[in-house]
Amino acid sequence: MSSENVQTKWGQFIPLVIVFFFWGFVAASNDILIPVFKTAFHLSQGESQLVSLAFYIAYTVGSLIYMGISVLIKEDLVNKIGYKNGLSLGLLISALGTLLFYPAANTGSFPLMLSGLFIVALGFSLQQTVANPLAIALGPITTGSQRLTLAGGINNLGTTIGPLIVSFAIFGSSTGSSTLSIESVKIPYLILGLAFLLVAILLKFSSLPDKPALIEEEIAHDGATAKKSALQYPQLVMGMIAIFLYVGVEVSTASNLPAYMESKLGFLTKDVAPYISLYWASLMIGRWTGAIEAFTDKASLQQILRFVAPYLAFGVFLAVNAIAKHDLTPFYIYGLIILVLIAADIASKGNPARMLLIFSALGIVALAIGMSTSGIVSVYAFTSVGLFCSTLWPCIFTLAVSGLGKNTSQGSSFLIMMIMGGGVISWLQGFVSEFIGIQASYVVGILCFAYLAFYAWSVSGILRKQGINFDKKLSGGH
């Protein structure tokens, strides 16, 4: 690939990662809205959680709508309107959702607020259906998972700064919330809606392709053997289960950690926050590390960046917590655990199946250590699961849609639908904890990782039979 072509690909990739940033920004900002709505609308704790339910259920509903429209028009929706147009349409839908915050704030309507969030996430569902395979396709298939990892790292940047910006926009410099007016919510989200519109326009006039060349090549390649549905591809069906369990173990590990630290280790609620922050920062650390091959194919530079990138991301975490005036002393030792991540990344050699296998095995080890130890050792063991979950989404997604050809966007929609695993597995672990205790309940996560390791092992053989080999670049190709 010529340097001119590489520059063109990066020019196309930049507007795409802005969309990934939006997803993280809004999703993490929901954690600010929950207590705001609880106070303003006098909600119970259960009622306040409708914010998360409205947001995440929209992904599944959006995927079902997508498939329904495709059936009605007798053609895959994204194949018909194009990838770039599909992304712009998703942004416009999200922008419409933000408009509902204005009448909702003026009338003090919680259902209308939830409707706005639901529509924002409905747009995200379409955006994710398009953007994930598009990120993979903007370059060689052998580095597709690294580009998706890089996009995920930008997403984590959104999760890091989103709550800070939204909190400041709502509360300003005041620390008291007793006089909070629900009308303070509408301006930040109207500004966000304007940003959605601007990026939709930017995408419309960008060089982003309506039909990526890589997907066109796959369509031509499987011409005579093309299947009518993405569900006829075993890598996709098994990948759907993998996405469900991956999102599940990622979310449930964090969501059950406060209960463990408070009930078993005596932490106060206010002292748990930095450790939850470290968990989500671990995802950013891992993704920045796993993305370096998307930047350069020079082995010497890659080796340097493998050590620079994770500690740069760790520095972002330390800086954010320093601004929040948290004591950083307990976190410096975590720098040693990051070395395990770096070693695992080197051992994976850029192969998504191998990376999925190694990182899933390390996830099992981390949870086992957390379950069998106590004190800060167990906390860091559970927190390190974030490191080992960090690159699993791009690995699974790349493996699941590889070889789907014209069914790529349909397969992507099926995968996005499985994000609901985050809610189901979290609930399951909480339910199990009532019988065997909160620490032992992490066995649910071990079972999730076990399936992911099985998928990594089996999908390699499935794809090789279809002529897809992610080790080609290791034997002389690029």
Side-chain angles (χ1 to χ4, degrees):
M1 183 181 294
S2 69
S3 60
E4 181 180 355
N5 285 336
V6 171
Q7 291 172 359
T8 300
K9 296 291 185 182
W10 280 111
Q12 296 170 351
F13 192 68
I14 290 172
L16 192 62
V17 298
I18 295 174
V19 178
F20 278 81
F21 175 85
F22 280 152
W23 302 340
F25 186 100
V26 176
S29 298
N30 287 343
D31 293 335
I32 301 299
L33 290 183
I34 288 172
V36 169
F37 287 172
K38 184 179 180 181
T39 300
F41 295 115
H42 308 291
L43 306 173
S44 67
Q45 179 63 19
E47 289 171 334
S48 70
Q49 293 300 315
L50 290 173
V51 170
S52 293
L53 180 62
F55 188 80
Y56 284 105
I57 199 68
Y59 281 95
T60 301
V61 174
S63 295
L64 292 172
I65 292 174
Y66 177 92
M67 287 184 282
I69 293 174
S70 297
V71 170
L72 288 174
I73 64 176
K74 297 181 180 180
E75 184 179 355
D76 184 86
L77 178 61
V78 172
N79 284 347
K80 185 174 181 64
I81 67 175
Y83 277 68
K84 181 164 66 175
N85 289 333
L87 205 52
S88 295
L89 176 60
L91 284 162
L92 291 176
I93 293 171
S94 293
L96 287 174
T98 63
L99 291 179
L100 286 182
F101 277 80
Y102 193 85
N106 287 341
T107 60
S109 172
F110 182 54
L112 204 53
M113 287 283 187
L114 292 180
S115 298
L117 275 177
F118 179 85
I119 294 173
V120 168
L122 208 59
F124 283 2
S125 177
L126 178 57
Q127 293 167 41
Q128 289 231 29
T129 297
V130 176
N132 283 286
L134 192 55
I136 296 170
L138 291 179
I141 184 63
T142 50
T143 55
S145 64
Q146 282 79 17
R147 281 187 296 282
L148 203 50
T149 300
L150 173 60
I154 301 298
N155 177 277
N156 285 130
L157 184 61
T159 63
T160 301
I161 70 175
L164 296 176
I165 293 176
V166 171
S167 180
F168 180 80
I170 293 175
F171 298 108
S173 57
S174 173
T175 57
S177 60
S178 58
T179 59
L180 173 69
S181 169
I182 197 63
E183 290 195 12
S184 63
V185 173
K186 66 184 180 184
I187 298 301
Y189 279 83
L190 287 176
I191 294 174
L192 185 63
L194 179 60
F196 288 153
L197 287 174
L198 291 175
V199 175
I201 294 171
L202 172 66
L203 284 169
K204 185 64 179 176
F205 294 100
S206 72
S207 60
L208 207 64
D210 265 334
K211 183 64 68 75
L214 179 62
I215 293 175
E216 287 184 327
E217 290 171 9
E218 287 195 352
I219 292 173
H221 174 72
D222 71 357
T225 59
K227 297 176 172 61
K228 293 181 179 180
S229 170
L231 293 176
Q232 293 178 279
Y233 292 86
Q235 66 264 37
L236 186 277
V237 175
M238 295 176 68
M240 289 170 64
I241 301 172
I243 287 289
F244 181 92
L245 295 176
Y246 151 69
V247 179
V249 69
E250 177 190 280
V251 174
S252 65
T253 299
S255 64
N256 287 282
L257 188 57
Y260 167 68
M261 294 178 67
E262 292 167 15
S263 64
K264 297 296 183 181
L265 304 182
F267 274 72
L268 298 176
T269 302
K270 66 182 181 65
D271 296 326
V272 171
Y275 294 91
I276 299 301
S277 173
L278 179 59
Y279 178 84
W280 293 110
S282 295
L283 288 162
M284 179 170 65
I285 292 167
R287 285 169 180 169
W288 285 21
T289 306
I292 61 169
E293 291 187 35
F295 287 102
T296 179
D297 58 359
K298 295 181 179 179
S300 58
L301 184 55
Q302 286 179 5
Q303 293 303 322
I304 295 173
L305 290 177
R306 274 196 173 92
F307 286 87
V308 173
Y311 287 105
L312 183 62
F314 187 46
V316 171
F317 159 77
L318 294 175
V320 168
N321 279 272
I323 293 171
K325 298 182 180 180
H326 292 144
D327 180 16
L328 302 182
T329 306
F331 302 116
Y332 295 132
I333 190 68
Y334 200 72
L336 296 177
I337 302 177
I338 294 174
L339 291 174
V340 178
L341 167 78
I342 296 171
D345 183 71
I346 293 172
S348 69
K349 300 180 181 179
N351 183 306
R354 187 180 295 114
M355 179 174 284
L356 179 58
L357 180 61
I358 293 172
F359 278 50
S360 296
L362 287 172
I364 292 173
V365 171
L367 287 176
I369 292 174
M371 292 170 61
S372 58
T373 58
S374 60
I376 200 66
V377 173
S378 64
V379 173
Y380 283 144
F382 288 139
T383 304
S384 69
V385 171
L387 294 174
F388 309 128
C389 277
S390 60
T391 61
L392 299 194
W393 172 279
C395 288
I396 297 168
F397 213 100
T398 301
L399 294 166
V401 302
S402 292
L404 266 61
K406 69 178 183 180
N407 296 301
T408 298
S409 55
Q410 183 191 59
S412 176
S413 180
F414 281 124
L415 292 172
I416 298 305
M417 183 190 302
M418 305 312 286
I419 289 176
M420 63 181 176
V424 176
I425 300 298
S426 293
W427 170 84
L428 177 62
Q429 183 176 346
F431 178 76
V432 169
S433 72
E434 295 178 5
F435 297 92
I436 64 174
I438 186 66
Q439 189 171 14
S441 72
Y442 277 95
V443 69
V444 172
I446 288 180
L447 294 176
C448 291
F449 276 125
Y451 176 83
L452 296 179
F454 167 74
Y455 177 65
W457 173 78
S458 59
V459 77
S460 297
I462 292 171
L463 292 177
R464 274 197 299 269
K465 290 179 181 178
Q466 297 177 17
I468 301 170
N469 183 6
F470 288 93
D471 278 327
K472 287 181 178 178
K473 68 171 182 174
L474 302 178
S475 58
H478 293 289

